[in-house]
DNA sequence: ATGTATGCAAACCATTTGCAATGAC
DNA sequence: GTCATTGCAAATGGTTTGCATACAT
């Protein structure tokens, strides 16, 4: 009945099978990381997963989070994105598919939304010698906030420190 | 007459004005880096710029290449891309606009092409509270090479070392 | 003359790795 | 019991920074 519930179950099954097929072990750490990740509706960082687990008093090393995330990527459960400004985000692949990203080249903020109406268009789109599974559309430009803040440009000239995270 | 020539001139002018407006100096290093970059028709790495200048017996420090590239980014002459697999590429903005990227999630290879027919479509596309300057379309999937090489999957299980560069 | 840009080397920081200890099978 | 996985700490590598020197203005 509950679609979110069945979706998570499907993911869990996919991950279990992935581990089984590769003869990889089903450990408490991998389980905890998977559970944390499977609940995300928005993009997340590796650190946020680690932090949240620590907050729940479940200790995992950063290295294990990296390792497990690599498995989740390979199992096609999550997707990794590296933005122009250096930010690295992960996202459930189911949530990442067919998304539109608006990236402001002034302030580096990223906004995203899903646009179902693009599905049809890209289902028909020809990609020679390539079998697409999903797509992302990135628009680079100026957000309305920056548009109306002309001074921004001057503030930004020595901008490196601001940019990261 | 020669469109490539005028295009490069336009870039040079844009860069000069950028420097002048910000009261930044016009140095031999910045000039050499700009000249190298302005000729690129394909995406390039920071290292390739540095290496090519060294090969021409023009010595610049890596730090200066980083600095200048930051200026070129800010001047909107070049664009930076970070792919999911960690590869960082730069590209002339004029060459980067409205491009389609095909990214293989198995082997991490990136192919790109330009599709003029998308111009029309995206000129009309509504981006709420955002003023787009250019877009990129990323398709994630399997390239034909990987499609027909089933063993790939097994080879890749311990894949980290292969992935980077 | 003045103060910005450069080069170098050291610092940084996210990510990876090596290895001994742990625990899944 | 065996061998993969973990945690820790050390290593790595791309990028940034600090500072003395060089040079554009």
């Amino acid at each position: 009945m509950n679609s979110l519930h069945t979706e998570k179950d499907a993911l869990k099954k996919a991950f279990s099978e992935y581990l089984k097929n590769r003869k990889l072990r089903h450990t408490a750490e991998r389980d905890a990381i998977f559970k944390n990740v499977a609940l995300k509706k928005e993009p997340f960082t590796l650190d946020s997963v680690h932090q949240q687990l620590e907050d729940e008093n479940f200790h995992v090393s950063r290295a294990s989070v990296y390792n497990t995330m690599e498995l989740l990527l390979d199992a096609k459960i999550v997707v990794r994105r590296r933005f122009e400004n250096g930010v690295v985000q992960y996202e459930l692949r189911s949530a990442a598919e067919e998304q539109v990203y608006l990236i402001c080249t002034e302030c580096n903020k990223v906004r995203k939304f899903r646009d179902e109406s693009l599905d049809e268009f890209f289902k028909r789109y020809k990609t020679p010698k390539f079998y697409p599974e999903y797509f992302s559309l990135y628009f680079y430009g100026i957000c309305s906030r920056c548009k109306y803040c002309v001074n921004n440009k001057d503030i930004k000239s020595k901008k490196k420190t601001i940019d990261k995270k």
Side-chain angles (χ1 to χ4, degrees), chain A:
Chain A
M1 312 296 106
N2 183 335
S3 77
L4 272 174
H5 189 253
T6 47
E7 189 180 312
K8 194 186 162 184
D9 283 352
L11 283 186
K12 195 176 188 72
K13 199 175 152 193
F15 191 43
S16 293
E17 272 176 21
Y18 172 83
L19 293 177
K20 192 183 289 178
N21 290 341
R22 311 258 166 152
K23 296 201 173 41
L24 299 172
R25 289 179 185 169
H26 188 285
T27 67
E29 288 81 1
R30 286 174 178 170
D31 196 49
I33 293 165
F34 169 80
K35 275 189 180 136
N36 180 283
V37 164
L39 292 172
K40 308 277 188 184
K41 285 171 195 66
E42 289 298 310
F44 55 92
T45 62
L46 193 139
D47 240 39
S48 76
V49 174
H50 184 248
Q51 194 54 55
Q52 284 171 21
L53 290 174
E54 292 289 345
D55 290 350
E56 296 166 13
N57 284 314
F58 187 96
H59 176 72
V60 222
S61 72
R62 232 180 207 61
S64 293
V65 184
Y66 277 106
N67 285 338
T68 305
M69 211 60 87
E70 206 62 48
L71 298 181
L72 292 170
L73 283 167
D74 196 39
K76 302 189 188 270
I77 288 167
V78 305
V79 154
R80 180 168 52 198
R81 269 174 222 292
R82 299 175 196 258
F83 290 102
E84 186 255 326
N85 56 21
V87 173
V88 180
Q89 283 186 348
Y90 296 82
E91 194 171 12
L92 281 182
R93 189 189 273 229
S94 52
E97 290 175 13
E98 290 147 3
Q99 291 289 359
V100 181
Y101 292 80
L102 306 179
I103 302 153
C104 179
T105 55
E106 284 300 322
C107 69
N108 285 321
K109 288 257 170 56
V110 180
R111 255 171 63 212
K112 72 164 222 186
F113 59 89
R114 177 177 271 254
D115 180 352
E116 316 272 350
S117 78
L118 290 174
D119 291 6
E120 187 68 6
F121 186 86
F122 286 111
K123 207 149 281 169
R124 286 203 217 101
Y125 191 78
K126 282 278 174 75
T127 51
K129 293 193 184 180
F130 192 83
Y131 307 87
E133 296 178 356
Y134 65 98
F135 69 83
S136 302
L137 178 57
Y138 291 73
F139 281 102
Y140 297 88
I142 311 292
C143 69
S144 54
R145 213 177 117 92
C146 288
K147 184 85 168 181
Y148 297 115
C149 173
V150 191
N151 295 328
N152 226 3
K153 258 195 175 136
D154 308 307
I155 297 165
K156 260 193 51 196
S157 53
K158 281 281 180 195
K159 63 174 195 290
K160 290 152 206 173
T161 35
I162 309 162
D163 275 11
K164 294 302 184 65
K165 68 178 55 162

